[in-house]
Amino acid sequence: MQPNQKPHSREKHVESGSADLNKGRQVNNGSRPVGNGGRTSGTSGKRSISGLPFGTSSGNTSGSQSLPVKLNLKTILILAAILIVGFIILKTCGGNLPIFPDIDPDNGGNNGGEVTDNNQYEDYKDGVLDYSVSPDARPKRVTPLGNGNDVVTIMIYMCGTDLESKYGMATADLQEMMKANISDKVNIIVETGGCSKWKNNTISNTKNQIYQVRTDALALVKDNAGNASMTDPNNLADFINFCNTNFPANRNVLIFWDHGGGSVSGYGYDEKNPNSSSMTLSKIKTALDKANCNFDFIGFDACLMATLENALVCEGHADYLLASEETEPGTGWYYTRWLNELSQNTSKPTIEIAKTIIDDFVTSSSSSSANAKVTLSVVDLAELHGTVPSAFSEFASSTNEMIRSDSYDDVANARAGVRQFSQKINQVDLVDLANRIATDDSKALAAALKGCVKYNRASLSKCYGISIYFPYENTNSVNSAVSSYEALGIDSEYTKCIKSFASLELGGQITASASQTSASSGSSFDLLGSLLSSFAGGESSTSPIDILTGSFTSGGSSAAGLSVDPSSIISLLSGFSGRSMPAELSWVDTDLIAGNAEKIAANYIDASRITATSKDGKSVLSLTDAEWALIETVELNVFGNDGNGYIDLGLDNTFEMNGNDLLLDYDGTWMTLNGNVCAYYLVSDTEQDDGTYVTIGRIPALLNRQPVDIQVVFDAKNPKGVVTGAFPTYSGGETDVQAKGCVAIKAGDKIELLCDYYNLDGTYSASYTLGTVFTVPESGLKVANMKVNADGFSVMYRLTDIYGNHFWTPEFNH
């Protein structure tokens, strides 16, 4: 952050009228707050469920066939004859009856409707197909024969999980495949598994199976592929080997279908084997190495897998990677058209196949949800092999030097403002990060990465097609990332870079924690050891509401009020030198922290400075330019007091500043949906090239009785805010992988808003509904700030510094 630059406040739009604040019934949320009070670690994204309301039917499934209500005898006899002949043909081929008549009528399974070539949406940034190839690119592993003489085998590894058992999304995608006119030179082979209940009467709920997709039918080619978890790399390798043996081809494609968790968590969640965890990138590499097959492209019809780490894994076995930086809507890819085009010309260039997939993905996602936020890109792995590793190493090395010298705050400011994907997994767009760091080496990396991305479309700005893990605010997944990088052989310079950044971040957080702990500690008390034990155990689940009762939230957070002398900070951090670290913090560079003790002390926000003063009759927080340069975000934190406890209304980046003074004032308004008060939490606030911002927030709710986060976006086009959909959430009982993809919210859906409730002593009580259930009207959902009718409020501002520490101002009541 440059001097005199202050944190950004979104524009607040207040409408007339008022809304009541009422806590409703308690909901079962797995003892975890729906807001920010309960901090979780290492969560990953799931491919989302878009296109149909939870628990409702959306009519005929796209591609399904419905029989007329009345049939005469002649028609019945004709249909019977057709079915008998079809049955004989399919059984002769070892197949099953077509899947179309077997759709669960209660499922819906709407997969976004038909896709047309001329269906364009102005919200989407159209990429340009790049046919160029760098002279430094390695030779392609797969070379098409040309003239339509190629044989193609498409291997689809379909872990159905709750996407299928609850919403029928796998069935819908299989229908799209069967709608294509599939050539006899195109083999589409699907392994099914990982799902407790398939929404059709063809696929087994009890065992893994392998099918061949044909026009209008599924042919069973292996009835029992075992019961191994679909996240077991050996199972994936066996599937690839089965395809190679039984359906040999000169062009092979591998598609992963399910949830995705990005660089740290990897791919998949097996609903039938919930304890098997995900298939990490190192496990994916194990499977690919074991199968030893070269692929035209490897695709992920899953969330968050367009990462540099994943590209480096796939590069050893494929020429292209096709994946999304963001979470995918549940509709996922649209399969019909690209399979038709490939069947018409099996020599079609891979990047042209990818362009069709990407364009149709964008169109079908927007058809399902007009405001869907999506990304999809194709990366030339052969070019990446030749151009990126050296640029990446130099970028990592020079960025590490910045972090270890006097420029940690420059890197922290770049990281704080970068385009981030999925709130809690610390994954960011690498080109955007490199551009913001703005060194010669980072610019060279950005140029190399852009050259590798041959086609990219995104409805979010600052999405260039390749992301990367880079920790910020919480460091819970650093240990896992470092272990994964070592296993994969990721450039050690980047491992050093993120370890350095996270280490100094930890040093800054330890400093903030010490300001609250040291006051009550005796001289013999091992303050640093106590704080390290706290951090090694993960972030505290204590809520910011504790600030109201004088408590302190550990794990990188601080209340205002206490001051620590810089010399004490230096003494504390110098204690890192030679100290043995807990296993969870084995990545910490203790010498780096000790060596930067004076610099951390110089960037320390004195907690006693976060206090109220009076200017011109107004209560303000007044900081210097240097202090504001250390503050990344300011958020209004509001709690409604009903006399028995506190209703958490969330965190919103709405505030007013006069020069260096933050006005400690509250107008009594809060965000509402269709006049209903909601709890709202800021997710990200990203500055665009033109100086405008895209602000994204979430509203916890039940959508047709299923837990979700409703997403709200504020941007130049929608300054008053627009609801873009909802993201399924999980209590932790099913899986620690969280969904973030867009669920379409439609007229007639039932919404119950959710909130967290805290006792008067500040302890979390439970999560409750907020207000009463309401129905989404034909006009949709309207976002507005309105006056809130409540017995009283407890209001603070939360400030976040360059180390990810949170500081709360003194409470001020409305």
Side-chain angles (χ1 to χ4, degrees):
M1 184 178 294
Q2 299 300 318
N4 301 317
Q5 182 178 343
K6 306 299 189 300
H8 171 252
S9 170
R10 77 167 181 87
E11 184 178 356
K12 180 166 61 176
H13 293 271
V14 178
E15 296 199 355
S16 60
S18 62
D20 294 330
L21 181 63
N22 294 310
K23 174 171 65 72
R25 63 180 177 85
Q26 184 176 339
V27 295
N28 180 13
N29 194 51
S31 301
R32 291 170 57 177
V34 297
N36 285 14
R39 295 179 173 85
T40 57
S41 63
T43 54
S44 304
K46 279 193 172 187
R47 182 169 178 236
S48 64
I49 297 86
S50 177
L52 77 160
F54 288 97
T56 64
S57 173
S58 60
N60 288 335
T61 304
S62 174
S64 65
Q65 297 174 346
S66 58
L67 295 177
V69 176
K70 296 181 180 180
L71 297 173
N72 58 35
L73 180 60
K74 181 179 179 180
T75 303
I76 292 174
L77 291 174
I78 293 173
L79 288 173
I82 293 173
L83 288 173
I84 291 171
V85 172
F87 178 79
I88 293 171
I89 293 172
L90 287 170
K91 293 302 287 186
T92 301
C93 298
N96 287 12
L97 285 173
I99 197 170
F100 294 116
D102 300 333
I103 297 301
D104 185 334
D106 295 327
N107 168 56
N110 181 5
N111 206 27
E114 295 293 335
V115 173
T116 57
D117 292 336
N118 59 359
N119 199 352
Q120 301 294 327
Y121 293 86
E122 63 179 359
D123 290 343
Y124 293 96
K125 178 178 62 181
D126 289 322
V128 176
L129 188 58
D130 180 7
Y131 286 93
S132 68
V133 179
S134 168
D136 296 323
R138 64 159 169 80
K140 291 291 193 293
R141 301 184 187 280
V142 178
T143 302
L145 301 175
N147 298 319
N149 293 320
D150 295 274
V151 176
V152 186
T153 292
I154 301 169
M155 311 173 195
I156 302 177
Y157 196 66
M158 183 171 278
C159 182
T161 197
D162 60 329
L163 287 171
E164 172 64 17
S165 64
K166 293 181 180 178
Y167 315 109
M169 289 299 174
T171 294
D173 279 357
L174 288 169
Q175 291 173 330
E176 290 175 356
M177 297 174 202
M178 290 185 290
K179 286 169 62 179
N181 294 316
I182 302 170
S183 165
D184 58 4
K185 293 182 180 179
V186 176
N187 306 304
I188 305 172
I189 313 301
V190 183
E191 176 162 348
T192 60
C195 178
S196 62
K197 179 175 173 56
W198 289 80
K199 291 286 189 176
N200 59 72
N201 297 325
T202 300
I203 298 174
S204 173
N205 297 321
T206 62
K207 56 192 174 184
N208 299 347
Q209 294 177 305
I210 299 178
Y211 290 88
Q212 181 175 12
V213 180
R214 299 172 179 170
T215 301
D216 292 339
L218 284 181
L220 182 63
V221 294
K222 188 170 184 178
D223 182 42
N224 188 349
N227 285 295
S229 170
M230 293 287 281
T231 59
D232 182 345
N234 292 318
N235 193 67
L236 172 60
D238 289 345
F239 171 62
I240 297 171
N241 287 331
F242 176 89
C243 294
N244 281 332
T245 300
N246 294 279
F247 301 93
N250 67 295
R251 298 183 74 181
N252 290 293
V253 172
L254 175 63
I255 297 173
F256 292 80
W257 193 105
D258 187 24
H259 301 304
S263 299
V264 176
S265 298
Y267 156 84
Y269 167 69
D270 190 304
E271 193 176 44
K272 296 197 301 181
N273 297 278
N275 296 324
S276 61
S277 71
S278 60
M279 191 185 300
T280 61
L281 296 188
S282 61
K283 291 179 180 178
I284 291 175
K285 183 177 186 300
T286 295
L288 296 178
D289 289 345
K290 183 177 180 180
N292 195 28
C293 177
N294 288 327
F295 296 97
D296 223 341
F297 74 84
I298 295 178
F300 285 83
D301 193 355
C303 297
L304 304 165
M305 298 304 292
T307 72
L308 180 60
E309 297 94 332
N310 192 27
L312 292 171
V313 167
C314 295
E315 187 277 321
H317 297 277
D319 289 331
Y320 295 91
L321 171 67
L322 182 56
S324 172
E325 289 187 276
E326 217 355 317
T327 51
E328 284 193 358
T331 50
W333 297 4
Y334 183 80
Y335 285 85
T336 308
R337 187 157 72 105
W338 73 270
L339 291 177
N340 273 333
E341 292 180 357
L342 184 60
S343 292
Q344 292 164 7
N345 177 15
T346 56
S347 302
K348 189 178 180 69
T350 307
I351 58 172
E352 293 182 8
I353 297 170
K355 181 180 185 300
T356 297
I357 295 172
I358 293 169
D359 288 342
D360 285 355
F361 168 75
V362 168
T363 301
S364 64
S365 297
S366 187
S367 297
S368 175
S369 178
N371 296 304
K373 301 299 180 183
V374 296
T375 70
L376 197 61
S377 60
V378 59
V379 180
D380 186 330
L381 298 177
E383 185 164 331
L384 182 140
H385 173 87
T387 63
V388 169
S390 59
F392 180 56
S393 182
E394 290 168 4
F395 158 79
S397 178
S398 62
T399 303
N400 190 32
E401 289 180 14
M402 292 178 64
I403 294 167
R404 300 176 75 90
S405 61
D406 291 329
S407 300
Y408 167 87
D409 54 343
D410 291 335
V411 178
N413 289 333
R415 173 60 183 87
V418 73
R419 167 61 64 198
Q420 180 167 292
F421 306 102
S422 191
Q423 186 180 12
K424 298 175 181 178
I425 68 169
N426 282 312
Q427 207 155 283
V428 301
D429 186 275
L430 181 51
V431 174
D432 188 26
L433 178 66
N435 284 336
R436 290 175 188 270
I437 291 175
T439 62
D440 289 342
D441 289 330
S442 68
K443 292 176 183 177
L445 174 62
L449 291 169
K450 287 182 178 179
C452 296
V453 178
K454 297 306 177 184
Y455 192 69
N456 176 41
R457 290 188 68 182
S459 59
L460 290 167
S461 62
K462 306 294 185 180
C463 299
Y464 296 94
I466 303 179
S467 59
I468 199 168
Y469 170 82
F470 199 105
Y472 185 64
E473 285 201 56
N474 76 74
T475 57
N476 297 321
S477 55
V478 174
N479 203 43
S480 297
V482 169
S483 297
S484 177
Y485 285 0
E486 291 174 350
L488 294 173
I490 301 293
D491 194 289
S492 61
E493 289 300 320
Y494 188 68
T495 304
K496 294 175 186 176
C497 176
I498 62 171
K499 286 170 65 174
S500 295
F501 185 83
S503 294
L504 292 182
E505 185 175 45
L506 178 68
Q509 293 179 356
I510 288 287
T511 298
S513 298
S515 70
Q516 300 300 311
T517 308
S518 59
S520 60
S521 303
S523 59
S524 62
F525 179 67
D526 182 6
L527 176 59
L528 180 55
S530 175
L531 291 172
L532 286 174
S533 296
S534 173
F535 277 83
E539 291 184 296
S540 170
S541 61
T542 308
S543 164
I545 195 69
D546 284 347
I547 305 306
L548 298 176
T549 57
S551 300
F552 166 66
T553 303
S554 65
S557 304
S558 174
L562 297 179
S563 177
V564 177
D565 185 88
S567 62
S568 298
I569 296 174
I570 294 171
S571 176
L572 175 71
L573 298 182
S574 296
F576 271 95
S577 180
R579 176 176 283 273
S580 176
M581 300 298 291
E584 296 89 341
L585 299 174
S586 60
W587 50 267
V588 175
D589 188 333
T590 54
D591 290 337
L592 177 64
I593 294 176
N596 280 268
E598 292 186 9
K599 296 171 186 175
I600 294 174
N603 284 337
Y604 163 63
I605 295 289
D606 188 340
S608 67
R609 296 276 294 135
I610 312 298
T611 188
T613 59
S614 181
K615 283 190 178 181
D616 300 325
K618 295 181 179 180
S619 181
V620 302
L621 167 64
S622 184
L623 299 178
T624 66
D625 282 343
E627 288 171 324
W628 278 120
L630 298 175
I631 301 299
E632 300 289 1
T633 60
V634 174
E635 298 160 280
L636 181 65
N637 200 182
V638 176
F639 298 87
N641 188 336
D642 66 359
N644 297 311
Y646 300 100
I647 299 172
D648 183 8
L649 291 181
L651 293 153
D652 191 359
N653 63 326
T654 54
F655 54 90
E656 183 178 352
M657 295 194 70
N658 182 13
N660 282 349
D661 298 333
L662 171 67
L663 301 184
L664 302 182
D665 190 25
Y666 176 54
D667 63 1
T669 71
W670 195 252
M671 191 175 297
T672 64
L673 279 183
N674 292 35
N676 298 276
V677 181
C678 53
Y680 169 85
Y681 299 88
L682 175 68
V683 172
S684 64
D685 191 44
T686 305
E687 185 177 9
Q688 313 305 299
D689 290 334
D690 61 3
T692 63
Y693 282 79
V694 175
T695 304
I696 300 176
R698 66 181 182 91
I699 298 172
L702 297 176
L703 178 61
N704 300 319
R705 302 190 71 83
Q706 297 294 327
V708 298
D709 280 333
I710 296 174
Q711 180 174 272
V712 182
V713 174
F714 302 87
D715 55 21
K717 183 178 179 181
N718 302 286
K720 294 184 178 181
V722 60
V723 171
T724 60
F727 306 112
T729 60
Y730 297 83
S731 65
E734 304 172 53
T735 171
D736 60 359
V737 179
Q738 288 190 337
K740 193 178 178 269
C742 185
V743 176
I745 301 177
K746 301 179 180 179
D749 285 348
K750 304 292 184 182
I751 291 179
E752 293 177 274
L753 301 169
L754 299 179
C755 68
D756 292 328
Y757 191 69
Y758 295 89
N759 300 316
L760 291 175
D761 64 359
T763 58
Y764 171 69
S765 171
S767 296
Y768 288 82
T769 58
L770 188 56
T772 58
V773 62
F774 66 95
T775 302
V776 178
E778 289 291 340
S779 57
L781 293 173
K782 180 181 179 181
V783 179
N785 271 59
M786 298 176 64
K787 286 283 185 181
V788 178
N789 300 321
D791 294 338
F793 297 97
S794 294
V795 186
M796 300 164 288
Y797 281 104
R798 188 180 82 167
L799 285 66
T800 303
D801 73 358
I802 61 172
Y803 296 110
N805 291 309
H806 301 312
F807 298 85
W808 279 267
T809 66
E811 175 191 359
F812 54 95
N813 297 319
H814 171 71

